[in-house]
Amino acid sequence: MEYTTKRSQGGLLEGLYRVIMRRNSIYVTFIIAGAFAGERAVDYGVRKIWEHNNVGKRYEDIPVLGQRQSEE
């Protein structure tokens, strides 16, 4: 009986390693882009939560502030 060695296709982590982490320049670029995208997502989410919790209390919501009466 002759055994042939088959290289498995690997799982998700092995594919991730082959695509992203094999070369340092691609890995660093992936980390920087991920940090930027993550920061944007967290900022957007926190801002939406803050605006939802403070409806009617913000400067933009008060109708008489920032408006001058027209001089006619």
Side-chain angles (χ1 to χ4, degrees), residues 2 13 23 29 40-41 45-46 49 57 64 71:
E2 187 176 320
L13 293 177
R23 294 180 60 200
T29 303
R40 298 289 300 209
V46 169
I49 291 170
K57 302 174 191 173
V64 294
E71 296 178 15

Side-chain angles (χ1 to χ4, degrees), residues 1 4 20 24 40-41 46 50-51 54 57 61 66-67:
M1 296 176 94
T4 59
I20 294 174
N24 190 38
R40 298 289 300 209
V46 169
W50 189 87
E51 287 177 356
N54 291 305
K57 302 174 191 173
D61 296 336
Q67 297 177 1

